[in-house]
Amino acid sequence: DTAIRAVAANKRFIVLCAEDNNARVFDTKGSLLQTLQTAQKTRNVAIFDRYVATGEKNGLGELFDLGEKKKSGSLLCTLQSKGKVSVTMYNVDICSTSVMLSSSRPYGMKADDKDKRLQVAQLYNLEGTLQHSFVHGAMIGRMGICVSEDYAATSGEDQVVKVWSTKTGELVLQLPAEKGRSPGVRFKNHQLYVSGTLDVLVYTLPSGTLERRLEMEAAASPSSPCSPQATNTSGTLRATPVTYPRLALAGNYVVSASETRVATVWTLLDGKPLCSIVDERRDFYAA
């Protein structure tokens, strides 16, 4: 009965979090398997294999093991920021070796662009030990972090995406973004995917070479007169600002879903759009 804040999924599990102190785990048929009780209100979730990481209020994250058997999830460790931290960890990502957390601009609330707590992403190992703090230097945005075994990325409202080494914590690469809002970022096979307004850019690492561009179909473009981004049900201009889409990668597909009520799906092998998903009733806040 509460608004869904985030969703994460793999071949076995679907994890949702809403405006409460838990994360719900479903199987791929939609049956509820278990409810993970969290210490604070949960604002984001990420999943890798059988491990679920949460981003919560008051600078907190938690790591859960869903177990080999159903209904056997257990808390492995707590990911706590150093010092007195009151910000909410809106961003979370996980890979086989690490969990990454950061805050960002809150929904519907003013934020101080100079607040340094909103400019830092933190990397933990799976035992909950802080490994590195990546100081982006500007406010990190929603979907503004991602992590793999070798790299971590932060994207901020300074029109810059930064790639860091997870081994040394050093800055490896800087890439430009289109405009002030933070793009979504995701890793796959030593490639970095960066969402734009009308496309997704694919960079090879560590060189930063632009390998290809996944372009949105014309009918789904915000500039298209038939697009739900351009008009609402009354035919007038929508007041919702165009922000960078959320990204999801799995198997042979990449999904870019935005607050402008359109999600585009591409196949990775040929880079061609597979379909566009349009919902004229609501915006997409997660993918």
Side-chain angles (χ1 to χ4, degrees):
D1 297 327
T2 55
I4 295 174
R5 283 294 189 184
V7 58
N10 60 18
K11 291 182 178 180
R12 297 176 59 193
F13 304 108
I14 300 169
V15 186
L16 304 178
C17 72
E19 297 278 0
D20 44 24
N21 291 54
N22 61 56
R24 293 178 174 88
V25 182
F26 299 82
D27 64 21
T28 55
K29 295 181 179 180
S31 299
L32 180 64
L33 299 179
Q34 53 187 291
T35 299
L36 306 174
Q37 298 299 322
T38 57
Q40 302 285 338
K41 287 188 176 181
T42 306
R43 289 294 182 266
N44 208 340
V45 289
I47 188 169
F48 178 84
D49 192 26
R50 69 189 202 196
Y51 300 100
V52 172
T54 62
E56 303 173 21
K57 295 188 68 176
N58 296 322
L60 191 68
E62 294 180 275
L63 179 63
F64 295 88
D65 183 356
L66 299 182
E68 292 294 342
K69 298 180 180 180
K70 296 180 180 179
K71 301 181 180 179
S72 59
S74 59
L75 176 65
L76 293 180
C77 61
T78 298
L79 314 169
Q80 178 65 63
S81 301
K82 290 184 176 180
K84 186 178 180 181
V85 180
S86 60
V87 295
T88 298
M89 293 306 193
Y90 289 107
N91 293 326
V92 61
D93 197 23
I94 184 174
C95 67
S96 64
T97 58
S98 307
V99 177
M100 191 172 178
L101 289 165
S102 85
S103 189
S104 66
R105 184 184 298 276
Y107 282 119
M109 297 173 61
K110 292 183 179 180
D112 182 2
D113 293 354
K114 297 181 180 180
D115 187 343
K116 295 187 182 299
R117 299 174 303 171
L118 307 182
Q119 302 178 10
V120 179
Q122 296 166 328
L123 186 73
Y124 300 84
N125 62 23
L126 299 187
E127 287 73 47
T129 303
L130 179 64
Q131 301 295 294
H132 303 291
S133 292
F134 304 120
V135 181
H136 185 87
M139 188 181 297
I140 296 174
R142 293 301 178 89
M143 282 292 297
I145 65 170
C146 62
V147 66
S148 68
E149 287 72 16
D150 297 311
Y151 301 106
T154 57
S155 73
E157 297 186 7
D158 56 351
Q159 300 177 285
V160 173
V161 174
K162 296 184 178 182
V163 181
W164 314 79
S165 167
T166 57
K167 305 295 190 300
T168 66
E170 295 178 346
L171 181 64
V172 175
L173 184 67
Q174 289 193 183
L175 299 167
E178 293 177 8
K179 60 178 184 179
R181 284 299 181 93
S182 163
V185 286
R186 281 291 178 264
F187 288 117
K188 185 177 176 66
N189 299 332
H190 282 81
Q191 293 178 324
L192 176 64
Y193 289 69
V194 180
S195 63
T197 308
L198 300 176
D199 54 21
V200 174
L201 304 179
V202 184
Y203 295 93
T204 300
L205 299 176
S207 66
T209 303
L210 178 60
E211 181 176 308
R212 58 178 170 165
R213 184 190 306 266
L214 309 178
E215 296 183 296
M216 185 183 294
E217 293 178 310
S221 165
S223 60
S224 170
C226 61
S227 169
Q229 291 102 310
T231 61
N232 61 18
T233 54
S234 302
T236 58
L237 291 175
R238 297 184 67 243
T240 302
V242 175
T243 60
Y244 278 109
R246 285 82 170 113
L247 275 179
L249 285 166
N252 187 40
Y253 304 101
V254 55
V255 181
S256 175
S258 75
E259 296 172 21
T260 49
R261 304 183 182 182
V262 172
T264 301
V265 183
W266 292 271
T267 52
L268 292 179
L269 290 180
D270 56 16
K272 295 181 179 179
L274 179 65
C275 64
S276 291
I277 302 168
V278 179
D279 190 334
E280 296 183 357
R281 300 167 296 171
R282 58 180 67 87
D283 300 332
F284 295 122
Y285 289 99

